[in-house]
Amino acid sequence: MIFNTFRAIFTIIQIAITITGLIIMMYLFRKNTKPIRHTWAAIQMKLLGITLEIEGEEDPSAQMQIMNHQSVLDIILFEYLHSKDLAWISKVEIAKIPWFGHIVKAPKMILVERESKKSLVKLIKDSKDKLSQNRPIGIFPEGTRTNGKKILKFKAGAKMIAEKFDLSVQPVLIVGTRKILDSQNLTQESGIVKVIYLPTVKAEKSSTWYKDTEVMMRERLSEEFKNDV
């Protein structure tokens, strides 16, 4: 346990230091931020000792991926896995962090300020802009991290964007990143991360696709832990 705590501290420091290099590279090579981020993420996957287990496959035609959220590792994981230049929807507070906020500014991610109607308009505008650049949108519809074993009620943001632009949405389940790197309890260990690509759905206003997807993801995740004591 003490070893895993020291390992977590080392990992967090290592990530913080290498993010500096990542930011500099993204500003130096503005047209190549995707391969730069992919390379950095691949290095992190090796250093963290992650073995990937993939079920299903990424839908290259999907314009949005919605994922459950449990660890900072989730973003690193999909920077490594996704074939396209994902445009993450991020809280504006992250962009305001001195220096490290450039991690979302340099690759021009979508920034949103919660509880702001003005920010809502900008969210729609920025989402349209990224989609026009063939950048799929990545979002955690729960809006916060969990313990990795449950799905919280989805916030309205992903539904609003997907229905506004009539998007194809692929749900993806992440299992195990919280165990690999838990920054809240300061533990880190090598192990298996399972990624489950679920069938893509069409975001139709006349359907209950969003609620159905939430229920499906919750039930499917529950299956992964049904044998846990």
Side-chain angles (χ1 to χ4, degrees), residues 4-22 40 44 47-48 72 76 99-100 181-183 186-188:
N4 286 343
T5 298
F6 278 118
R7 192 173 176 183
I9 294 170
F10 173 80
T11 296
I12 292 168
I13 293 171
Q14 175 271 126
I15 289 175
I17 292 172
T18 56
I19 279 176
T20 293
L22 174 63
W40 176 79
Q44 296 304 320
L47 291 176
L48 290 165
V72 294
I76 295 173
W99 178 247
F100 292 104
L181 179 59
D182 186 344
S183 57
L186 275 184
T187 61
Q188 198 261 301

Side-chain angles (χ1 to χ4, degrees), residues 27-42:
Y27 276 122
L28 286 175
F29 304 97
R30 295 300 294 267
K31 294 182 179 180
N32 295 290
T33 63
K34 164 59 181 174
I36 290 169
R37 286 164 18 228
H38 172 80
T39 300
W40 176 79

Side-chain angles (χ1 to χ4, degrees), residues 26 29-38 58 60 62-65 75 78-89 103-110 126-127 129-138:
M26 286 194 292
F29 304 97
R30 295 300 294 267
K31 294 182 179 180
N32 295 290
T33 63
K34 164 59 181 174
I36 290 169
R37 286 164 18 228
H38 172 80
E58 176 193 321
Q63 300 151 297
M64 174 184 281
Q65 278 193 345
I75 295 173
F78 278 87
E79 285 294 334
Y80 171 70
L81 284 176
H82 207 285
S83 61
K84 295 184 179 179
D85 186 6
L86 268 179
W88 292 98
I89 294 182
I103 194 69
V104 291
K105 291 179 183 177
K108 298 181 179 179
M109 299 305 182
I110 301 170
D126 289 349
S127 297
D129 179 56
K130 304 310 177 193
L131 290 165
S132 71
Q133 298 171 25
N134 196 31
R135 292 185 66 181
I137 294 171

